[in-house]
Amino acid sequence: MVSKRLSRLEGHRRKFMAVIDGTPECQSAVHYAGRRAKNSNGGLVLVYVIPEGDFQQWLGVEEIMRAEAREEAEATVAKSAQVVRETIGIEPEVVIREGSAVEEINAVIEEDRDIAILVLAASSAKEGPGPLVSSVVGKAAAFPIPVTVLPDTLTNEELDALA
């Protein structure tokens, strides 16, 4: 069970969260979430989760691999944050975690009680909509706040009209 959301209380504001995972469709989620945040005088949280289990090497190698993964995460999120600043005109919050994507996203939601909506974009690839979207529609519906799922076929102009 998720803690009570505080976004409607005085001194708080509703935040939209988008997950950065390097897929083309995640940029649609970021754009839509940013536009919704701006239109509602809210905030935007960008979350990147470094997958767990990629660092099972000797200690020295593990530390190097972890540092490289962290650098890649920071660069990827910085690029998305810059696009948000330039195209939407708001300053997003950035969160980088390591672990299971679903568990870490839930932890961020629990820690920041102003986060009220998770925005994801579904891939139209033959492999399926993506693991996060699958977890929402599957038996493990894992997120304790409303989730907006966007088709990856919408243009930024169409997303703006919807936001």
Side-chain angles (χ1 to χ4, degrees):
M1 184 167 178
V2 72
S3 298
K4 180 180 176 188
R5 303 288 88 192
L6 302 177
S7 57
R8 295 289 183 193
L9 299 177
E10 187 174 331
H12 294 269
R13 64 185 181 149
R14 179 173 58 173
K15 294 179 184 177
F16 295 82
M17 181 166 67
V19 179
I20 307 296
D21 60 7
T23 61
E25 63 269 11
C26 85
Q27 292 310 310
S28 293
V30 170
H31 184 86
Y32 179 81
R35 196 56 80 187
R36 285 287 316 270
K38 182 172 184 165
N39 290 346
S40 65
N41 198 30
L44 174 62
V45 179
L46 303 177
V47 177
Y48 188 106
V49 180
I50 300 167
E52 64 185 345
D54 289 349
F55 313 114
Q56 304 299 321
Q57 307 293 328
W58 296 299
L59 187 58
V61 175
E62 178 182 341
E63 290 174 7
I64 292 169
M65 290 175 70
R66 231 186 205 102
E68 288 173 349
R70 180 77 182 193
E71 286 175 20
E72 180 183 335
E74 289 172 354
T76 302
V77 175
K79 187 184 297 185
S80 291
Q82 186 61 32
V83 169
V84 168
R85 283 185 212 99
E86 291 172 358
T87 61
I88 300 173
I90 63 172
E91 184 63 37
E93 296 175 40
V94 171
V95 177
I96 298 174
R97 297 289 182 94
E98 182 182 321
S100 159
V102 171
E103 289 175 13
E104 294 303 322
I105 291 166
N106 276 322
V108 172
I109 292 167
E110 183 62 27
E111 291 164 15
D112 187 342
R113 293 172 54 195
D114 287 341
I115 296 173
I117 298 175
L118 172 60
V119 179
L120 302 173
S123 171
S124 57
K126 65 181 178 180
E127 295 82 27
L132 292 176
V133 174
S134 294
S135 72
V136 172
V137 297
K139 294 178 185 172
F143 301 110
I145 58 174
V147 179
T148 300
V149 180
L150 306 166
D152 70 347
T153 56
L154 297 175
T155 65
N156 282 349
E157 292 77 24
E158 292 169 323
L159 292 170
D160 290 347
L162 292 170

